[in-house]
Short mmCIF file of all heavy atoms in Angstrom, two decimals:
data_model
loop_
_atom_site.label_atom_id
_atom_site.label_comp_id
_atom_site.label_asym_id
_atom_site.label_seq_id
_atom_site.Cartn_x
_atom_site.Cartn_y
_atom_site.Cartn_z
N MET C 174 12.89 -2.92 4.58
CA MET C 174 11.49 -2.56 4.38
C MET C 174 11.44 -1.20 3.68
O MET C 174 12.04 -0.25 4.14
CB MET C 174 10.79 -2.51 5.74
CG MET C 174 9.31 -2.42 5.64
SD MET C 174 8.42 -2.81 7.17
CE MET C 174 9.18 -1.78 8.37
N GLN C 175 10.73 -1.15 2.55
CA GLN C 175 10.65 0.07 1.76
C GLN C 175 9.39 0.85 2.12
O GLN C 175 8.39 0.29 2.53
CB GLN C 175 10.57 -0.27 0.27
CG GLN C 175 11.80 -0.94 -0.27
CD GLN C 175 11.56 -1.35 -1.72
OE1 GLN C 175 10.64 -2.08 -2.01
NE2 GLN C 175 12.41 -0.86 -2.59
N SER C 176 9.47 2.18 1.90
CA SER C 176 8.25 2.98 2.03
C SER C 176 7.43 2.81 0.76
O SER C 176 7.93 2.31 -0.24
CB SER C 176 8.61 4.45 2.24
OG SER C 176 9.09 5.01 1.04
N GLY C 177 6.20 3.22 0.78
CA GLY C 177 5.31 2.99 -0.35
C GLY C 177 5.03 4.23 -1.17
O GLY C 177 3.91 4.40 -1.65
N THR C 178 6.03 5.10 -1.37
CA THR C 178 5.78 6.35 -2.08
C THR C 178 6.05 6.26 -3.58
O THR C 178 5.69 7.17 -4.32
CB THR C 178 6.63 7.50 -1.49
OG1 THR C 178 8.01 7.14 -1.57
CG2 THR C 178 6.24 7.78 -0.05
N ARG C 179 6.68 5.18 -4.05
CA ARG C 179 6.97 5.03 -5.49
C ARG C 179 6.11 3.92 -6.08
O ARG C 179 6.16 2.77 -5.61
CB ARG C 179 8.44 4.71 -5.71
CG ARG C 179 9.34 5.89 -5.49
CD ARG C 179 10.74 5.75 -6.01
NE ARG C 179 11.10 4.45 -6.51
CZ ARG C 179 12.23 3.81 -6.20
NH1 ARG C 179 13.10 4.36 -5.39
NH2 ARG C 179 12.48 2.63 -6.70
N ARG C 180 5.35 4.26 -7.11
CA ARG C 180 4.44 3.30 -7.74
C ARG C 180 5.21 2.11 -8.33
O ARG C 180 4.72 0.97 -8.30
CB ARG C 180 3.64 4.01 -8.84
CG ARG C 180 2.49 3.22 -9.39
CD ARG C 180 1.70 4.05 -10.40
NE ARG C 180 0.40 3.48 -10.68
CZ ARG C 180 0.18 2.52 -11.56
NH1 ARG C 180 1.17 2.04 -12.26
NH2 ARG C 180 -1.04 2.05 -11.74
N SER C 181 6.40 2.34 -8.83
CA SER C 181 7.19 1.27 -9.47
C SER C 181 7.60 0.17 -8.48
O SER C 181 7.91 -0.94 -8.89
CB SER C 181 8.43 1.86 -10.13
OG SER C 181 9.26 2.49 -9.17
N ASP C 182 7.58 0.47 -7.17
CA ASP C 182 7.95 -0.53 -6.15
C ASP C 182 6.78 -1.45 -5.79
O ASP C 182 6.97 -2.44 -5.10
CB ASP C 182 8.42 0.17 -4.87
CG ASP C 182 9.72 0.92 -5.07
OD1 ASP C 182 10.46 0.60 -6.01
OD2 ASP C 182 10.00 1.83 -4.26
N ILE C 183 5.58 -1.10 -6.22
CA ILE C 183 4.38 -1.81 -5.78
C ILE C 183 3.78 -2.60 -6.94
O ILE C 183 3.58 -2.07 -8.02
CB ILE C 183 3.35 -0.81 -5.22
CG1 ILE C 183 3.96 -0.09 -4.02
CG2 ILE C 183 2.06 -1.52 -4.83
CD1 ILE C 183 3.18 1.09 -3.54
N LYS C 184 3.54 -3.87 -6.68
CA LYS C 184 2.95 -4.77 -7.69
C LYS C 184 1.83 -5.57 -7.03
O LYS C 184 1.84 -5.79 -5.82
CB LYS C 184 4.00 -5.76 -8.21
CG LYS C 184 5.29 -5.13 -8.72
CD LYS C 184 5.16 -4.71 -10.16
CE LYS C 184 6.46 -4.22 -10.74
NZ LYS C 184 6.73 -2.83 -10.53
N ALA C 185 0.87 -6.00 -7.82
CA ALA C 185 -0.19 -6.86 -7.30
C ALA C 185 0.45 -8.14 -6.74
O ALA C 185 1.38 -8.68 -7.32
CB ALA C 185 -1.18 -7.20 -8.40
N GLY C 186 -0.03 -8.57 -5.59
CA GLY C 186 0.46 -9.80 -4.99
C GLY C 186 1.50 -9.63 -3.90
O GLY C 186 1.81 -10.58 -3.20
N ILE C 187 2.02 -8.40 -3.71
CA ILE C 187 3.00 -8.20 -2.64
C ILE C 187 2.29 -7.88 -1.33
O ILE C 187 1.16 -7.39 -1.32
CB ILE C 187 4.05 -7.11 -2.98
CG1 ILE C 187 3.40 -5.73 -3.07
CG2 ILE C 187 4.80 -7.46 -4.24
CD1 ILE C 187 4.42 -4.61 -3.16
N GLU C 188 2.97 -8.15 -0.22
CA GLU C 188 2.40 -7.88 1.09
C GLU C 188 2.84 -6.49 1.55
O GLU C 188 4.01 -6.14 1.45
CB GLU C 188 2.86 -8.94 2.10
CG GLU C 188 2.11 -8.86 3.40
CD GLU C 188 2.47 -9.99 4.35
OE1 GLU C 188 3.18 -10.92 3.94
OE2 GLU C 188 2.04 -9.92 5.51
N VAL C 189 1.87 -5.70 2.03
CA VAL C 189 2.14 -4.32 2.42
C VAL C 189 1.42 -3.98 3.72
O VAL C 189 0.52 -4.71 4.15
CB VAL C 189 1.69 -3.31 1.33
CG1 VAL C 189 2.50 -3.49 0.06
CG2 VAL C 189 0.20 -3.45 1.04
N GLU C 190 1.81 -2.85 4.32
CA GLU C 190 1.06 -2.25 5.41
C GLU C 190 0.49 -0.95 4.89
O GLU C 190 1.22 -0.15 4.30
CB GLU C 190 1.95 -1.98 6.63
CG GLU C 190 2.24 -3.21 7.44
CD GLU C 190 2.95 -2.91 8.74
OE1 GLU C 190 3.49 -1.80 8.90
OE2 GLU C 190 2.98 -3.81 9.59
N ILE C 191 -0.82 -0.76 5.06
CA ILE C 191 -1.47 0.47 4.60
C ILE C 191 -2.13 1.19 5.77
O ILE C 191 -2.37 0.59 6.82
CB ILE C 191 -2.54 0.19 3.51
CG1 ILE C 191 -3.71 -0.62 4.08
CG2 ILE C 191 -1.93 -0.51 2.31
CD1 ILE C 191 -4.91 -0.70 3.15
N VAL C 192 -2.39 2.48 5.57
CA VAL C 192 -3.19 3.25 6.51
C VAL C 192 -4.53 3.53 5.84
O VAL C 192 -4.58 4.12 4.77
CB VAL C 192 -2.50 4.57 6.90
CG1 VAL C 192 -3.42 5.42 7.76
CG2 VAL C 192 -1.21 4.30 7.65
N LEU C 193 -5.60 3.06 6.46
CA LEU C 193 -6.94 3.29 5.95
C LEU C 193 -7.33 4.74 6.22
O LEU C 193 -6.81 5.38 7.12
CB LEU C 193 -7.94 2.36 6.65
CG LEU C 193 -7.66 0.86 6.54
CD1 LEU C 193 -8.62 0.09 7.42
CD2 LEU C 193 -7.77 0.41 5.10
N LYS C 194 -8.27 5.27 5.43
CA LYS C 194 -8.74 6.65 5.58
C LYS C 194 -9.18 6.92 7.02
O LYS C 194 -8.84 7.94 7.61
CB LYS C 194 -9.90 6.89 4.60
CG LYS C 194 -10.44 8.29 4.60
CD LYS C 194 -9.54 9.21 3.83
CE LYS C 194 -10.20 10.57 3.67
NZ LYS C 194 -9.29 11.53 3.06
N LYS C 195 -9.93 5.98 7.61
CA LYS C 195 -10.44 6.17 8.97
C LYS C 195 -9.33 6.16 10.02
O LYS C 195 -9.52 6.64 11.13
CB LYS C 195 -11.49 5.11 9.30
CG LYS C 195 -10.94 3.71 9.41
CD LYS C 195 -12.01 2.69 9.76
CE LYS C 195 -11.42 1.31 9.83
NZ LYS C 195 -11.59 0.65 11.08
N ASP C 196 -8.15 5.62 9.67
CA ASP C 196 -7.04 5.52 10.62
C ASP C 196 -5.95 6.57 10.39
O ASP C 196 -4.89 6.51 11.01
CB ASP C 196 -6.41 4.12 10.54
CG ASP C 196 -7.37 3.03 10.99
OD1 ASP C 196 -8.19 3.30 11.89
OD2 ASP C 196 -7.30 1.91 10.45
N GLN C 197 -6.21 7.55 9.50
CA GLN C 197 -5.16 8.53 9.19
C GLN C 197 -4.74 9.34 10.40
O GLN C 197 -3.57 9.65 10.55
CB GLN C 197 -5.63 9.46 8.06
CG GLN C 197 -5.52 8.80 6.71
CD GLN C 197 -5.99 9.71 5.58
OE1 GLN C 197 -6.66 10.71 5.83
NE2 GLN C 197 -5.65 9.36 4.38
N ARG C 198 -5.67 9.67 11.28
CA ARG C 198 -5.33 10.47 12.47
C ARG C 198 -4.42 9.69 13.43
O ARG C 198 -3.50 10.25 14.00
CB ARG C 198 -6.58 10.90 13.21
CG ARG C 198 -7.33 12.02 12.53
CD ARG C 198 -8.59 12.37 13.32
NE ARG C 198 -9.27 13.50 12.71
CZ ARG C 198 -9.15 14.76 13.15
NH1 ARG C 198 -8.38 15.03 14.17
NH2 ARG C 198 -9.80 15.72 12.54
N THR C 199 -4.68 8.41 13.59
CA THR C 199 -3.91 7.61 14.54
C THR C 199 -2.67 6.99 13.91
O THR C 199 -1.71 6.67 14.60
CB THR C 199 -4.76 6.46 15.13
OG1 THR C 199 -5.13 5.58 14.06
CG2 THR C 199 -6.00 6.98 15.82
N GLY C 200 -2.70 6.79 12.58
CA GLY C 200 -1.57 6.16 11.90
C GLY C 200 -1.57 4.65 12.01
O GLY C 200 -0.59 3.99 11.66
N LYS C 201 -2.66 4.07 12.51
CA LYS C 201 -2.77 2.60 12.64
C LYS C 201 -2.68 1.96 11.26
O LYS C 201 -3.32 2.38 10.32
CB LYS C 201 -4.11 2.26 13.29
CG LYS C 201 -4.38 0.78 13.42
CD LYS C 201 -5.74 0.55 14.08
CE LYS C 201 -6.15 -0.89 14.01
NZ LYS C 201 -6.72 -1.27 12.73
N THR C 202 -1.86 0.92 11.17
CA THR C 202 -1.67 0.26 9.88
C THR C 202 -2.44 -1.05 9.80
O THR C 202 -2.74 -1.67 10.82
CB THR C 202 -0.18 -0.02 9.59
OG1 THR C 202 0.36 -0.83 10.62
CG2 THR C 202 0.60 1.27 9.48
N THR C 203 -2.75 -1.45 8.59
CA THR C 203 -3.44 -2.69 8.29
C THR C 203 -2.58 -3.47 7.30
O THR C 203 -2.10 -2.90 6.32
CB THR C 203 -4.82 -2.39 7.66
OG1 THR C 203 -5.57 -1.58 8.57
CG2 THR C 203 -5.58 -3.66 7.36
N ARG C 204 -2.37 -4.75 7.58
CA ARG C 204 -1.53 -5.58 6.71
C ARG C 204 -2.38 -6.34 5.72
O ARG C 204 -3.48 -6.78 6.06
CB ARG C 204 -0.75 -6.56 7.59
CG ARG C 204 0.27 -7.38 6.85
CD ARG C 204 1.03 -8.27 7.79
NE ARG C 204 1.91 -7.47 8.62
CZ ARG C 204 3.07 -7.89 9.10
NH1 ARG C 204 3.48 -9.11 8.86
NH2 ARG C 204 3.81 -7.10 9.85
N GLY C 205 -1.87 -6.48 4.49
CA GLY C 205 -2.61 -7.24 3.49
C GLY C 205 -1.83 -7.39 2.21
O GLY C 205 -0.70 -6.93 2.09
N THR C 206 -2.46 -8.04 1.23
CA THR C 206 -1.85 -8.29 -0.08
C THR C 206 -2.51 -7.40 -1.11
O THR C 206 -3.74 -7.31 -1.17
CB THR C 206 -2.04 -9.78 -0.45
OG1 THR C 206 -1.48 -10.59 0.58
CG2 THR C 206 -1.34 -10.10 -1.77
N VAL C 207 -1.68 -6.75 -1.94
CA VAL C 207 -2.18 -5.80 -2.95
C VAL C 207 -2.95 -6.53 -4.04
O VAL C 207 -2.48 -7.52 -4.59
CB VAL C 207 -1.00 -5.02 -3.58
CG1 VAL C 207 -1.50 -4.13 -4.72
CG2 VAL C 207 -0.26 -4.20 -2.54
N LYS C 208 -4.15 -6.02 -4.33
CA LYS C 208 -4.95 -6.51 -5.45
C LYS C 208 -4.86 -5.54 -6.62
O LYS C 208 -4.60 -5.94 -7.75
CB LYS C 208 -6.40 -6.70 -5.02
CG LYS C 208 -7.29 -7.23 -6.13
CD LYS C 208 -8.71 -7.42 -5.66
CE LYS C 208 -9.58 -7.94 -6.78
NZ LYS C 208 -10.98 -8.04 -6.35
N ASP C 209 -5.10 -4.24 -6.35
CA ASP C 209 -5.09 -3.21 -7.39
C ASP C 209 -4.31 -1.99 -6.92
O ASP C 209 -4.37 -1.65 -5.73
CB ASP C 209 -6.52 -2.74 -7.71
CG ASP C 209 -7.43 -3.85 -8.18
OD1 ASP C 209 -7.03 -4.57 -9.11
OD2 ASP C 209 -8.52 -4.00 -7.61
N ILE C 210 -3.65 -1.31 -7.85
CA ILE C 210 -3.00 -0.03 -7.57
C ILE C 210 -3.94 1.06 -8.07
O ILE C 210 -4.33 1.06 -9.24
CB ILE C 210 -1.63 0.06 -8.27
CG1 ILE C 210 -0.72 -1.07 -7.79
CG2 ILE C 210 -0.99 1.42 -8.01
CD1 ILE C 210 0.57 -1.21 -8.57
N LEU C 211 -4.31 1.99 -7.19
CA LEU C 211 -5.31 3.00 -7.53
C LEU C 211 -4.70 4.36 -7.88
O LEU C 211 -5.36 5.17 -8.53
CB LEU C 211 -6.31 3.16 -6.37
CG LEU C 211 -7.00 1.87 -5.94
CD1 LEU C 211 -7.90 2.13 -4.75
CD2 LEU C 211 -7.79 1.26 -7.08
N THR C 212 -3.47 4.63 -7.46
CA THR C 212 -2.81 5.89 -7.78
C THR C 212 -2.20 5.81 -9.18
O THR C 212 -1.50 4.84 -9.49
CB THR C 212 -1.69 6.21 -6.75
OG1 THR C 212 -2.28 6.31 -5.46
CG2 THR C 212 -0.96 7.49 -7.09
N ASN C 213 -2.46 6.81 -10.01
CA ASN C 213 -1.93 6.82 -11.37
C ASN C 213 -0.55 7.46 -11.48
O ASN C 213 0.22 7.11 -12.36
CB ASN C 213 -2.89 7.55 -12.32
CG ASN C 213 -4.15 6.74 -12.55
OD1 ASN C 213 -4.10 5.52 -12.63
ND2 ASN C 213 -5.27 7.42 -12.62
N SER C 214 -0.22 8.41 -10.60
CA SER C 214 1.06 9.10 -10.70
C SER C 214 2.21 8.20 -10.25
O SER C 214 2.02 7.22 -9.54
CB SER C 214 1.04 10.39 -9.87
OG SER C 214 0.82 10.09 -8.51
N ALA C 215 3.42 8.53 -10.68
CA ALA C 215 4.61 7.71 -10.39
C ALA C 215 4.98 7.72 -8.91
O ALA C 215 5.50 6.73 -8.39
CB ALA C 215 5.79 8.19 -11.22
N THR C 216 4.72 8.84 -8.22
CA THR C 216 5.02 8.93 -6.78
C THR C 216 3.88 9.67 -6.08
O THR C 216 3.10 10.39 -6.72
CB THR C 216 6.33 9.71 -6.51
OG1 THR C 216 6.17 11.04 -6.97
CG2 THR C 216 7.52 9.05 -7.17
N HIS C 217 3.81 9.48 -4.78
CA HIS C 217 2.86 10.23 -3.96
C HIS C 217 3.48 10.38 -2.57
O HIS C 217 3.91 9.38 -1.98
CB HIS C 217 1.51 9.52 -3.87
CG HIS C 217 0.44 10.38 -3.29
ND1 HIS C 217 0.38 10.67 -1.95
CD2 HIS C 217 -0.58 11.06 -3.88
CE1 HIS C 217 -0.65 11.47 -1.73
NE2 HIS C 217 -1.25 11.72 -2.89
N PRO C 218 3.56 11.61 -2.04
CA PRO C 218 4.26 11.83 -0.76
C PRO C 218 3.65 11.10 0.43
O PRO C 218 4.36 10.78 1.39
CB PRO C 218 4.19 13.34 -0.57
CG PRO C 218 3.09 13.81 -1.46
CD PRO C 218 3.02 12.84 -2.61
N HIS C 219 2.35 10.80 0.38
CA HIS C 219 1.70 10.11 1.51
C HIS C 219 1.56 8.61 1.28
O HIS C 219 1.01 7.91 2.12
CB HIS C 219 0.32 10.72 1.77
CG HIS C 219 0.38 12.17 2.09
ND1 HIS C 219 1.00 12.66 3.21
CD2 HIS C 219 -0.08 13.24 1.41
CE1 HIS C 219 0.92 13.97 3.21
NE2 HIS C 219 0.26 14.36 2.12
N GLY C 220 2.07 8.11 0.16
CA GLY C 220 1.97 6.69 -0.15
C GLY C 220 1.03 6.43 -1.31
O GLY C 220 0.06 7.14 -1.51
N ILE C 221 1.34 5.39 -2.06
CA ILE C 221 0.52 5.00 -3.20
C ILE C 221 -0.77 4.36 -2.68
O ILE C 221 -0.74 3.52 -1.79
CB ILE C 221 1.29 4.00 -4.10
CG1 ILE C 221 2.59 4.64 -4.63
CG2 ILE C 221 0.42 3.49 -5.23
CD1 ILE C 221 2.41 5.86 -5.50
N LYS C 222 -1.91 4.75 -3.26
CA LYS C 222 -3.20 4.20 -2.82
C LYS C 222 -3.43 2.86 -3.51
O LYS C 222 -3.28 2.75 -4.73
CB LYS C 222 -4.34 5.17 -3.15
CG LYS C 222 -5.66 4.75 -2.51
CD LYS C 222 -6.77 5.73 -2.80
CE LYS C 222 -6.67 6.93 -1.90
NZ LYS C 222 -7.86 7.82 -2.04
N VAL C 223 -3.78 1.86 -2.71
CA VAL C 223 -4.02 0.51 -3.24
C VAL C 223 -5.30 -0.08 -2.66
O VAL C 223 -5.79 0.38 -1.64
CB VAL C 223 -2.84 -0.46 -2.91
CG1 VAL C 223 -1.55 0.00 -3.55
CG2 VAL C 223 -2.67 -0.65 -1.41
N ARG C 224 -5.80 -1.11 -3.34
CA ARG C 224 -6.91 -1.94 -2.82
C ARG C 224 -6.31 -3.28 -2.45
O ARG C 224 -5.61 -3.89 -3.26
CB ARG C 224 -8.01 -2.10 -3.86
CG ARG C 224 -9.17 -2.98 -3.37
CD ARG C 224 -10.27 -3.13 -4.41
NE ARG C 224 -10.91 -1.86 -4.68
CZ ARG C 224 -10.89 -1.24 -5.86
NH1 ARG C 224 -10.24 -1.75 -6.89
NH2 ARG C 224 -11.49 -0.08 -6.02
N LEU C 225 -6.59 -3.74 -1.25
CA LEU C 225 -6.11 -5.05 -0.82
C LEU C 225 -7.05 -6.13 -1.33
O LEU C 225 -8.17 -5.86 -1.76
CB LEU C 225 -6.03 -5.11 0.71
CG LEU C 225 -5.11 -4.10 1.38
CD1 LEU C 225 -5.14 -4.29 2.89
CD2 LEU C 225 -3.70 -4.20 0.85
N GLU C 226 -6.61 -7.39 -1.26
CA GLU C 226 -7.44 -8.50 -1.73
C GLU C 226 -8.74 -8.63 -0.95
O GLU C 226 -9.72 -9.15 -1.47
CB GLU C 226 -6.64 -9.81 -1.69
CG GLU C 226 -5.58 -9.84 -2.77
CD GLU C 226 -4.82 -11.15 -2.85
OE1 GLU C 226 -4.86 -11.93 -1.89
OE2 GLU C 226 -4.18 -11.36 -3.89
N ASP C 227 -8.77 -8.13 0.29
CA ASP C 227 -10.02 -8.19 1.07
C ASP C 227 -10.92 -6.98 0.83
O ASP C 227 -11.96 -6.84 1.45
CB ASP C 227 -9.72 -8.35 2.57
CG ASP C 227 -8.97 -7.16 3.16
OD1 ASP C 227 -8.75 -6.15 2.45
OD2 ASP C 227 -8.60 -7.25 4.35
N GLY C 228 -10.52 -6.07 -0.10
CA GLY C 228 -11.35 -4.95 -0.49
C GLY C 228 -11.05 -3.64 0.21
O GLY C 228 -11.59 -2.59 -0.17
N GLN C 229 -10.22 -3.65 1.24
CA GLN C 229 -9.89 -2.41 1.95
C GLN C 229 -8.99 -1.53 1.09
O GLN C 229 -8.13 -2.03 0.36
CB GLN C 229 -9.20 -2.73 3.28
CG GLN C 229 -10.07 -3.50 4.24
CD GLN C 229 -9.40 -3.70 5.57
OE1 GLN C 229 -9.58 -2.91 6.48
NE2 GLN C 229 -8.62 -4.76 5.66
N VAL C 230 -9.17 -0.20 1.20
CA VAL C 230 -8.41 0.75 0.41
C VAL C 230 -7.64 1.68 1.35
O VAL C 230 -8.19 2.18 2.33
CB VAL C 230 -9.34 1.59 -0.50
CG1 VAL C 230 -8.58 2.69 -1.21
CG2 VAL C 230 -10.06 0.69 -1.50
N GLY C 231 -6.36 1.91 1.04
CA GLY C 231 -5.55 2.82 1.83
C GLY C 231 -4.24 3.12 1.15
O GLY C 231 -3.97 2.64 0.05
N ARG C 232 -3.43 3.94 1.82
CA ARG C 232 -2.13 4.33 1.27
C ARG C 232 -1.03 3.47 1.87
O ARG C 232 -0.98 3.24 3.08
CB ARG C 232 -1.86 5.80 1.55
CG ARG C 232 -2.84 6.69 0.81
CD ARG C 232 -2.33 8.09 0.64
NE ARG C 232 -3.30 8.91 -0.07
CZ ARG C 232 -3.35 9.02 -1.39
NH1 ARG C 232 -2.48 8.38 -2.14
NH2 ARG C 232 -4.26 9.78 -1.96
N VAL C 233 -0.11 3.02 1.02
CA VAL C 233 0.98 2.13 1.45
C VAL C 233 1.97 2.89 2.32
O VAL C 233 2.48 3.93 1.92
CB VAL C 233 1.71 1.52 0.23
CG1 VAL C 233 2.87 0.66 0.69
CG2 VAL C 233 0.74 0.71 -0.63
N LYS C 234 2.22 2.37 3.50
CA LYS C 234 3.22 2.94 4.41
C LYS C 234 4.49 2.11 4.41
O LYS C 234 5.58 2.63 4.67
CB LYS C 234 2.67 3.04 5.83
CG LYS C 234 1.60 4.08 5.97
CD LYS C 234 2.13 5.45 5.61
CE LYS C 234 1.03 6.46 5.42
NZ LYS C 234 1.50 7.72 4.86
N ALA C 235 4.38 0.81 4.16
CA ALA C 235 5.56 -0.07 4.15
C ALA C 235 5.31 -1.25 3.23
O ALA C 235 4.21 -1.79 3.18
CB ALA C 235 5.86 -0.56 5.56
N ILE C 236 6.37 -1.62 2.51
CA ILE C 236 6.33 -2.82 1.67
C ILE C 236 7.02 -3.92 2.46
O ILE C 236 8.19 -3.80 2.82
CB ILE C 236 7.05 -2.56 0.33
CG1 ILE C 236 6.33 -1.44 -0.44
CG2 ILE C 236 7.11 -3.84 -0.49
CD1 ILE C 236 7.07 -0.96 -1.66
N LEU C 237 6.29 -4.98 2.78
CA LEU C 237 6.81 -6.05 3.63
C LEU C 237 7.50 -7.14 2.85
O LEU C 237 8.50 -7.70 3.30
CB LEU C 237 5.69 -6.64 4.47
CG LEU C 237 4.92 -5.62 5.34
CD1 LEU C 237 3.77 -6.29 6.04
CD2 LEU C 237 5.87 -4.97 6.35
N SER C 238 6.98 -7.48 1.66
CA SER C 238 7.62 -8.49 0.84
C SER C 238 7.37 -8.17 -0.63
O SER C 238 6.31 -7.66 -0.99
CB SER C 238 7.09 -9.88 1.16
OG SER C 238 5.75 -10.01 0.75
N SER C 239 8.34 -8.47 -1.46
CA SER C 239 8.18 -8.24 -2.89
C SER C 239 7.98 -9.59 -3.58
O SER C 239 8.17 -10.65 -3.00
CB SER C 239 9.42 -7.54 -3.45
OG SER C 239 10.54 -8.37 -3.34
N LYS C 240 7.62 -9.56 -4.85
CA LYS C 240 7.41 -10.79 -5.63
C LYS C 240 8.67 -11.63 -5.66
O LYS C 240 8.62 -12.85 -5.65
CB LYS C 240 7.00 -10.43 -7.06
CG LYS C 240 5.56 -10.05 -7.20
CD LYS C 240 4.70 -11.28 -7.23
CE LYS C 240 3.35 -11.00 -7.80
NZ LYS C 240 2.41 -12.02 -7.51
N GLU C 241 9.84 -10.98 -5.71
CA GLU C 241 11.11 -11.71 -5.81
C GLU C 241 11.39 -12.54 -4.56
O GLU C 241 12.01 -13.57 -4.61
CB GLU C 241 12.29 -10.75 -6.04
CG GLU C 241 12.26 -10.04 -7.37
CD GLU C 241 11.30 -8.85 -7.39
OE1 GLU C 241 11.20 -8.12 -6.39
OE2 GLU C 241 10.63 -8.66 -8.42
N GLU C 242 10.91 -12.05 -3.39
CA GLU C 242 11.18 -12.75 -2.13
C GLU C 242 10.27 -13.95 -1.94
O GLU C 242 10.55 -14.83 -1.16
CB GLU C 242 10.98 -11.78 -0.96
CG GLU C 242 12.01 -10.67 -0.93
CD GLU C 242 11.68 -9.63 0.11
OE1 GLU C 242 10.78 -9.83 0.94
OE2 GLU C 242 12.34 -8.57 0.12
N GLN C 243 9.12 -13.99 -2.62
CA GLN C 243 8.15 -15.05 -2.41
C GLN C 243 8.48 -16.29 -3.19
O GLN C 243 9.10 -16.30 -4.17
CB GLN C 243 6.75 -14.58 -2.76
CG GLN C 243 6.29 -13.49 -1.81
CD GLN C 243 4.92 -12.95 -2.22
OE1 GLN C 243 4.39 -13.24 -3.26
NE2 GLN C 243 4.37 -12.14 -1.33
#
């Protein structure tokens, strides 16, 4: 399982765990499939910001599956 700090590791369609803005204090994660990548820089220390297919936005904490595994 990879962390989500490198933009090159994240592609639309992969399954990830993100932390929503409202859950930053607790660190509670939400699982979903990436729809859009919102961070423009190559890396981000707190995780790349993405939008899930259900519309939720947060920073990637873990990459659960990649396109190659599906």
Side-chain angles (χ1 to χ4, degrees):
M174 192 164 52
Q175 295 175 303
S176 72
T178 58
R179 287 194 353 227
R180 191 176 196 276
S181 61
D182 293 339
I183 300 169
K184 307 275 186 273
I187 66 170
E188 191 175 351
V189 295
E190 282 188 344
I191 66 169
V192 174
L193 303 173
K194 183 78 171 174
K195 68 179 179 122
D196 295 327
Q197 282 180 344
R198 285 178 176 261
T199 63
K201 177 180 170 279
T202 59
T203 302
R204 186 177 289 211
T206 303
V207 175
K208 180 179 180 184
D209 301 308
I210 301 171
L211 304 177
T212 299
N213 290 323
S214 61
T216 63
H217 192 286
H219 301 296
I221 300 299
K222 190 178 281 188
V223 298
R224 178 180 295 116
L225 300 180
E226 289 184 342
D227 64 5
Q229 297 184 93
V230 174
R232 294 201 180 272
V233 177
K234 291 300 167 190
I236 298 171
L237 304 175
S238 69
S239 64
K240 281 281 198 196
E241 293 79 38
E242 293 172 10
Q243 294 177 350

